[in-house]
């Protein structure tokens, strides 16, 4: 029987995935460009997605009727037409569980960086100055609000509890059973925004969460509060954030995700002392990326054998 063909969109080198997949499948590698992918995708049995290109109807249809599995090496799938895949009955999986620790660590580091003004401190030392009076915000005793108590939100909550925070609030669709063990209290979005000292956005991007942090929301936040985003840049209205940071309506922001990515070199967020920016490195550790690569490959190998994906969406 012919070996199944898997299109692998190559971005950050999913070597572990290629090793696993190539035991049972032929790999069709494509650089992360729409043109290259469209040229190489016709006739494949599966698609392994590891790039920011939108996996939309054009690419899915170009694959042809043999397409039997799609897997993304990411937790988020706002760049993929999941509705169409479902309609077509094509199994789709992600790597939801593999990156929770790494992304939660990233969120903690952003919280610390912003509350303790690390960007300003670093810049001060670089300029040959020494400002030991850079007073930050205490985390101990603070109210921490988590938007989206999924795997990442829960893992972040466990870590931040160790900083002796006062309360943990969370918001989302509905209360989560896991919240009790974390001592986290389910509240409406507005209450979370008004009462939190530290807000962490750890939710997926969808119609409800797009632009949920807008000018009106920043005005409701405490002037001493910080917002950290490890979800998707589009959850925050970035122009409104720039405005809020400039006017000191909030204390600071820490972003691992932004719009666009990469952020242009002259973007105002870069100049602001009270905004710490990471180049979307939430899951970027050797171990996490290897686990994600293997997990996304397993999704495909299982689906090609007619078995359930380990991480179906
Ligand atoms: O942002 C990273 C991911 O969705 O995996």
């Amino acid at each position: 029987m012919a070996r199944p063909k898997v299109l692998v969109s190559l971005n950050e080198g999913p070597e572990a995935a290629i090793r696993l997949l190539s035991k049972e499948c032929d790999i069709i590698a494509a650089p992360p460009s729409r043109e290259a992918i469209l040229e190489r995708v016709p006739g494949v049995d599966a698609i392994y997605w590891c790039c920011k290109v939108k996996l939309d109807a054009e690419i899915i249809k170009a694959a042809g009727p043999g397409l039997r599995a799609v897997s993304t090496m990411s937790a988020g799938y706002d760049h993929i037409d999941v509705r169409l895949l479902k309609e077509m009955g094509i199994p789709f999986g992600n790597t939801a569980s593999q990156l929770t620790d790494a992304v939660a660590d990233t969120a903690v580091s952003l919280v610390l960086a912003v509350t303790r003004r690390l960007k300003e401190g670093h810049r001060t030392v670089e300029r040959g100055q020494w400002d030991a009076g850079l007073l930050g915000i205490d985390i101990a005793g603070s109210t921490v609000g988590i938007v989206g108590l999924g795997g990442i939100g829960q893992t972040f909550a466990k870590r931040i509890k160790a900083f002796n925070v006062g309360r943990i609030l969370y918001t989302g669709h509905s209360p989560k059973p896991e919240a009790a063990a974390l001592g986290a209290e389910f509240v409406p979005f507005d209450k979370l925004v008004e009462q939190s000292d530290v807000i962490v956005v750890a939710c997926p991007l969808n119609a409800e969460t797009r632009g949920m942090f807008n000018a009106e929301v920043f005005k409701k936040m405490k002037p001493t509060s910080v917002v950290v985003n490890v979800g998707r840049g589009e959850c925050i209205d970035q122009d409104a954030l720039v405005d809020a940071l400039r006017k000191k309506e909030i204390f600071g922001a820490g972003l691992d995700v932004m719009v666009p990515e990469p952020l242009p070199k002259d973007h105002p967020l870069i100049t602001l002392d009270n905004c710490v920016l990471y180049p979307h490195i939430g899951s970027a550790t050797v171990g996490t990326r290897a686990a994600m690569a293997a997990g996304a490959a397993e999704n495909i190998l299982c689906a090609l054998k007619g078995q359930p994906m380990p991480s179906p969406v």
Side-chain angles (χ1 to χ4, degrees):
M1 219 172 86
R3 279 156 60 91
K5 292 200 227 11
V6 183
L7 178 111
V8 178
S9 71
L10 293 168
N11 195 9
E12 286 137 13
E15 290 89 5
I18 292 179
R19 263 198 312 278
L20 261 173
L21 290 168
S22 54
K23 286 186 195 157
E24 298 175 33
C25 312
D26 289 339
I27 306 293
I28 316 235
S33 88
R34 171 166 287 276
E35 297 67 37
I37 289 164
L38 279 169
E39 190 193 299
R40 292 172 206 192
V41 78
V44 298
D45 298 274
I47 295 178
Y48 180 105
W49 211 242
C50 178
C51 67
K52 299 261 160 64
V53 175
K54 290 220 176 308
L55 180 46
D56 56 10
E58 190 187 13
I59 297 177
I60 294 168
K61 298 242 162 88
L67 186 63
R68 292 182 281 147
V70 176
S71 179
T72 181
M73 187 181 147
S74 63
Y77 43 83
D78 44 283
H79 56 317
I80 293 172
D81 192 341
V82 181
R83 212 179 56 185
L84 178 63
L85 291 172
K86 283 215 189 312
E87 266 168 34
M88 293 171 72
I90 298 170
F92 170 63
N94 69 347
T95 55
S97 62
Q98 288 87 349
L99 47 61
T100 49
D101 283 316
V103 179
D105 292 348
T106 303
V108 171
S109 80
L110 282 168
V111 169
L112 292 172
V114 180
T115 54
R116 300 307 301 272
R117 303 170 65 174
L118 299 191
K119 184 171 176 182
E120 270 172 282
H122 186 89
R123 284 181 164 173
T124 306
V125 177
E126 263 181 355
R127 284 196 299 265
Q129 296 163 346
W130 197 267
D131 183 355
L134 285 175
L135 302 188
I137 300 286
D138 286 304
I139 298 177
S142 70
T143 297
V144 176
I146 302 173
V147 180
L149 199 69
I152 294 168
Q154 289 169 34
T155 309
F156 170 79
K158 279 183 204 148
R159 282 156 170 64
I160 210 72
K161 264 168 88 79
F163 288 80
N164 295 331
V165 297
R167 290 164 78 203
I168 299 182
L169 310 178
Y170 75 102
T171 193
H173 270 295
S174 47
K176 296 262 183 168
E178 297 88 350
L182 299 166
E185 197 185 317
F186 184 70
V187 291
F189 178 69
D190 279 354
K191 186 167 171 187
L192 180 138
V193 161
E194 283 159 15
Q195 298 194 354
S196 297
D197 300 297
V198 171
I199 296 178
V200 171
V201 182
C203 59
L205 175 67
N206 53 42
E208 276 169 80
T209 60
R210 185 178 294 277
M212 79 193 303
F213 281 82
N214 55 26
E216 206 183 309
V217 169
F218 290 124
K219 286 194 174 55
K220 287 185 188 153
M221 285 171 63
K222 299 182 188 180
T224 49
S225 66
V226 311
V227 63
V228 160
N229 189 3
V230 292
R232 282 292 179 266
E234 290 88 342
C235 297
I236 291 182
D237 174 340
Q238 221 164 252
D239 293 337
L241 175 65
V242 169
D243 212 39
L245 289 169
R246 278 195 177 132
K247 292 183 183 149
K248 306 267 168 39
E249 279 172 0
I250 63 172
F251 186 78
L255 311 176
D256 184 44
V257 287
M258 56 215 77
V259 188
E261 292 177 11
L263 199 65
K265 227 169 62 190
D266 58 353
H267 195 279
L269 283 177
I270 296 173
T271 57
L272 287 166
D273 268 343
N274 53 353
C275 184
V276 175
L277 301 165
Y278 292 170
H280 201 149
I281 50 166
S283 66
T285 69
V286 176
T288 298
R289 285 287 166 83
M292 290 167 73
E298 283 300 340
N299 282 338
I300 287 182
L301 291 171
C302 288
L304 290 177
K305 290 183 195 124
Q307 296 164 2
M309 288 184 165
S311 180
V313 170

